Amino acid sequence: MTTTTTTSTARGTTASGGSRPEDERYPLGRTFLYGLQHIMTMYGGVIAPPIIVGQAAGLSGAGIGLLVSSALLVSGLATALQTLGLPFFGSRLPLVQGISFATVSTMVAVATGDGGLPAVFGAILVAGAIGLAISPFFAQIVRYFPPVVTGTIITVIGLSLLPTAAQWMMGGDPQADDWGSVPHVLLALGTLVVVLVLSRFLTGTISRLSILFGLVLGTLAALPFGLADFSAVDEGPAIALPEIFAFGPPVFQVGAILSMTIVVLVIMTETTADLIAIGEVLDTEVDERRVGDGLRADMAATVLAPFVNSFPASAFAQNVGLVAITGIKSRFAVAAGGAVLFGLGLVPVLGRVVAAIPEPVLGGAGIVLFGSVAVSGIRTLSRVEYEGNLNLTLVAVAIGFGVIPIAVPEFYDRFPEWVGMIFHSGIAAAAVVAVLLNLVFNELRRGRHKDPSVFTAGSSARLVVTTEQEQRRQEYFARLDAERLDERRARLNADVRARVRHGHGRRSGCLSAIDLDADGVPDVLEVRDGARVAAGAGPRATGPDEARLAAAATAAETEGS
């Protein structure tokens, strides 16, 4: 049995010797500051699904407000369960849980039908129970997620999130008159600049909170221009407790349940990818047991959500990017953020304050956050072996399928509904294709050839050519530097001879102003006992260049005499 010793570092961080990076602890104040940064990053993503579904269901402002508060409450509970964990529930990783956006289209379709919101909640209950039952089996697929698969999925996660950041930068509402206006874009770019400046020139806690400070300063900058509206903060109750099945008892419809089950499978795929992604960021082990515990926490929160008038929860990929950028790996900081979410759910007035952050400000910060997720995937792909296999083809095709729904959202509109539900998510599409191709290319032994395909061979050939070009470029510049050095030495020798011929030599007995060490400052020398030494100084040790130049000067004087 091993004993873990706890020590306190100079920065106030408590680290356990030999413990996992996610178990790092910070002082209480900093822990909640780091957690608040996570919440402000993902807050817009949490409140967007209930607002969209509530509007589709024809709810009043109070009804939509209830959905928003319930979403915050469930997200806080799910985050605490995922980060702190219970036996068999929770990965104990710094993952923020929130209402999944992947379910929005399905929930809108069900909510606008005959069953309304009760049918949505009934479908979520059954689908969540199915997901909870199959979680142990789902965890077995971890062995089919090698770096070539995880790197591809993580890259697509980042790429799929960037359009959301761009929409936020333009104002968030395509129907608004000021959509894409110059003030919106400038506000977003200003927030981005603040984040970059704080990250570049500050250190310690302030640098790690650059996203949070960027959001706060961006919101303050928006106030004088009327781009931030806090008028709705006073509307509604200050404190509200959750109400069980506030919109009526659940209704169970077969079609809605089937559709929601498919979406839940997509959510589980995305959560598995996020679990592996955060493991890559933290450089910590994520095995089958840990994935299974994470999925069970995900599905347990999904089953609980309908009871308190909310929707399925899943891991938020943008917060994986925040962990990568800030280096705050502590799951306890994320758990503190979950407590903040839970508090916002109980105190709607605080939620309304956070909701007043302008979407262009969120977009400016989102460029850094979402882009870092894609870079994390690229870094993972850089460690993959591409020689003698079809990994290059795997990555190319999987990323292609992942980008299709991002570039052309209506691509699958004419396909059967179940196809669209799965492949309409670029993350799910990339995951499915990458896993299937990995099975065919790397797991199945039959029919495997020694030589790579023409695509891989062509890529390898290009890599060889690029390497040769880089080597030739370095040789060229090395030769050029040598030529320039020879020319400089020749000019210096010529200058020495010219000075000697003009009387700065032994016959005149005067001081010589020759720059022997080529530092731009003349070295005043005098002749003493037949050797050149600095004026007013003792014998001077000369380097090879000075000795050579002194010999050249002596030879020139002799030649002149």
Side-chain angles (χ1 to χ4, degrees):
M1 180 176 179
T2 59
T3 302
T4 302
T5 303
T6 303
T7 58
S8 179
T9 65
R11 296 177 56 194
T13 301
T14 302
S16 299
S19 66
R20 302 172 304 185
E22 61 269 24
D23 294 329
E24 189 176 15
R25 292 177 181 269
Y26 299 97
L28 186 62
R30 285 168 57 189
T31 298
F32 272 92
L33 274 177
Y34 295 148
L36 180 61
Q37 180 171 246
H38 273 285
I39 300 317
M40 297 187 73
T41 300
M42 54 83 73
Y43 188 86
V46 172
I47 66 174
I51 292 175
I52 296 172
V53 176
Q55 291 175 343
L59 298 183
S60 63
I64 295 177
L66 177 59
L67 290 181
V68 171
S69 297
S70 300
L72 294 171
L73 194 72
V74 170
S75 299
L77 289 173
T79 299
L81 180 60
Q82 189 70 267
T83 54
L84 301 179
L86 292 173
F88 305 106
F89 291 90
S91 64
R92 292 178 172 85
L93 289 168
L95 277 175
V96 177
Q97 299 284 123
I99 304 304
S100 174
F101 206 89
T103 61
V104 170
S105 58
T106 301
M107 291 190 298
V108 167
V110 176
T112 54
D114 297 334
L117 278 179
V120 173
F121 294 139
I124 294 172
L125 272 173
V126 177
I130 294 174
L132 185 59
I134 67 173
S135 292
F137 165 77
F138 215 82
Q140 301 300 319
I141 70 172
V142 174
R143 65 182 298 265
Y144 300 115
F145 280 77
V148 67
V149 174
T150 58
T152 301
I153 295 174
I154 297 168
T155 301
V156 173
I157 288 175
L159 295 177
S160 66
L161 291 170
L162 285 172
T164 300
Q167 292 175 1
W168 285 346
M169 293 177 71
M170 299 178 70
D173 183 8
Q175 308 301 324
D177 295 335
D178 58 352
W179 165 258
S181 63
V182 173
H184 280 162
V185 177
L186 289 180
L187 179 60
L189 294 178
T191 302
L192 175 60
V193 169
V194 170
V195 172
L196 296 178
V197 169
L198 292 178
S199 300
R200 171 62 179 84
F201 295 103
L202 299 180
T203 59
T205 302
I206 296 180
S207 178
R208 292 187 170 194
L209 292 174
S210 58
I211 301 294
L212 175 60
F213 284 119
L215 294 174
V216 172
L217 295 177
T219 302
L220 293 177
L223 286 173
F225 302 97
L227 298 178
D229 184 12
F230 288 90
S231 61
V233 171
D234 295 333
E235 298 179 2
I239 299 176
L241 296 176
E243 182 180 353
I244 304 300
F245 291 130
F247 299 96
V251 174
F252 302 99
Q253 296 178 342
V254 176
I257 291 173
L258 291 176
S259 299
M260 192 61 66
T261 301
I262 295 174
V263 174
V264 164
L265 293 176
V266 173
I267 291 175
M268 295 177 72
T269 302
E270 294 180 350
T271 299
T272 301
D274 290 332
L275 288 166
I276 297 173
I278 195 66
E280 292 281 345
V281 171
L282 300 179
D283 193 21
T284 192
E285 182 181 4
V286 177
D287 54 14
E288 296 178 3
R289 170 67 181 275
R290 214 165 188 186
V291 171
D293 291 347
L295 291 175
R296 275 189 288 269
D298 216 10
M299 292 298 102
T302 298
V303 172
L304 171 67
F307 287 93
V308 291
N309 316 294
S310 192
F311 309 128
S314 66
F316 266 42
Q318 56 261 48
N319 291 86
V320 177
L322 184 60
V323 172
I325 288 178
T326 62
I328 304 299
K329 302 177 180 180
S330 172
R331 59 190 176 96
F332 301 105
V334 176
V340 173
L341 274 178
F342 185 81
L344 292 175
L346 294 178
V347 187
V349 65
L350 297 179
R352 292 192 292 269
V353 171
V354 179
I357 297 177
E359 289 186 317
V361 174
L362 293 174
I367 289 294
V368 181
L369 294 173
F370 304 159
S372 68
V373 177
V375 172
S376 178
I378 294 172
R379 184 176 59 184
T380 301
L381 289 174
S382 68
R383 301 197 296 266
V384 174
E385 178 62 45
Y386 295 99
E387 294 296 329
N389 54 49
L390 288 167
N391 283 337
L392 182 70
T393 306
L394 185 158
V395 174
V397 176
I399 290 181
F401 270 89
V403 170
I404 284 176
I406 302 173
V408 188
E410 63 275 9
F411 186 86
Y412 296 104
D413 286 354
R414 295 183 179 272
F415 283 74
E417 185 177 358
W418 65 271
V419 175
M421 287 181 180
I422 296 176
F423 288 91
H424 185 72
S425 168
I427 301 172
V432 170
V433 173
V435 170
L436 290 178
L437 291 182
N438 180 61
L439 288 174
V440 175
F441 292 162
N442 298 325
E443 295 294 332
L444 297 179
R445 303 291 179 180
R446 181 176 300 177
R448 182 179 298 181
H449 299 288
K450 181 179 179 180
D451 296 327
S453 70
V454 63
F455 305 106
T456 308
S459 175
S460 301
R462 286 192 297 272
L463 181 61
V464 171
V465 171
T466 303
T467 303
E468 291 179 352
Q469 290 176 339
E470 176 64 19
Q471 182 178 357
R472 292 174 182 175
R473 188 183 71 86
Q474 293 178 357
E475 292 175 353
Y476 169 76
F477 282 111
R479 185 171 63 253
L480 187 63
D481 290 340
E483 292 175 354
R484 290 177 176 175
L485 181 61
D486 291 341
E487 292 176 358
R488 183 166 173 269
R489 288 174 176 171
R491 288 196 301 270
L492 185 59
N493 288 335
D495 183 63
V496 169
R497 294 187 180 92
R499 289 178 182 272
V500 171
R501 290 193 183 97
H502 284 81
H504 298 284
R506 187 168 45 200
R507 287 185 303 172
S508 62
C510 64
L511 298 179
S512 175
I514 303 177
D515 184 12
L516 292 181
D517 55 4
D519 61 357
V521 179
D523 297 328
V524 181
L525 304 178
E526 63 180 0
V527 177
R528 181 185 300 167
D529 297 332
R532 292 181 178 275
V533 296
R540 174 178 174 180
T542 59
D545 288 340
E546 291 178 349
R548 181 175 55 81
L549 293 176
T554 303
E557 290 176 1
T558 304
E559 180 182 318
S561 61

